[in-house]
Amino acid sequence: MNANAQIWVDADACPVAIKDILFRAAEREQIPVTLVANQYLRTPPSRFIRAVQVPGGFDVADNEIVLRVVADDLVVTQDIPLAALVIGKGALAIDPRGELHTPETIAQRLTMRNFMDELRGSGVDTGGHAPFHARDKQAFANQLDRWLTQRRQARH
C-alpha cells in the first residue's frame, strides 16, 4: 500500500454520520480527506480536510474523483459504477454501509446494479435503499479502520 494514500468522498449522497467519522479519522491519522460534490459543503477547519465543488451535471463529481484518484487511495461512494472505475485505477472503494468493493467483488455488484436498473426501467418497484442504521455506521467505521491500519503499517 502507498503510504501517501488518501481518501476521496463522493459527498453528494454521503450520510453526515459517515462524514463525521472521516473528519475525525483525518485529524487522528493526518490523512487527506477530500469531499467532492456539486454543491457547497461545510467542512471543519483542518489542514487535512478539503471540499471540491464541481459544476452540476450527470456524473461530474464522479468524473472528478476518477480523474484525481491514484492507486491505493480509498473512495467512499454508494455509486457502483464509480466504484468500478476507481478500482480499475488501483484504488479501493467502500460504501457508507461498510461494504468494501474490490477487484474480486465489483463485477458481481455491477451486474446486480444493472439488473436492478433494468427492473426499475420496466416498471418493477424494487424498493430502495434500506434506512441507514447505527450498525451501518459501525460497519463503515470498522472497514475504514482496517484500511487505515494497512496504511499505517505501510508508513513504517
Side-chain angles (χ1 to χ4, degrees), residues 11-56:
D12 284 320
C14 187
V16 171
I18 298 305
K19 290 177 193 169
D20 289 343
I21 290 169
L22 291 165
F23 295 158
R24 287 193 302 274
E27 289 300 315
R28 184 181 69 244
E29 300 289 331
Q30 298 185 351
I31 182 170
V33 172
T34 304
L35 289 81
V36 181
N38 59 21
Q39 60 189 344
Y40 173 77
L41 295 169
R42 292 180 60 112
T43 58
S46 167
R47 64 188 184 111
F48 303 107
I49 301 166
R50 67 190 188 108
V52 174
Q53 185 176 355
V54 296

Side-chain angles (χ1 to χ4, degrees), residues 6-14 22 33-38 41 50-55 58-94:
Q6 60 182 308
I7 300 171
W8 298 92
V9 184
D10 181 8
D12 284 320
C14 187
L22 291 165
V33 172
T34 304
L35 289 81
V36 181
N38 59 21
L41 295 169
R50 67 190 188 108
V52 174
Q53 185 176 355
V54 296
F58 187 70
D59 286 345
V60 176
D62 296 359
N63 294 338
E64 187 70 19
I65 291 170
V66 171
L67 182 69
R68 294 177 179 224
V69 74
V70 298
D72 294 330
D73 283 355
L74 181 67
V75 176
V76 179
T77 184
Q78 301 182 79
D79 187 309
I80 299 300
L82 173 58
L85 290 171
V86 300
I87 287 169
K89 289 188 75 174
L92 288 178
I94 181 176

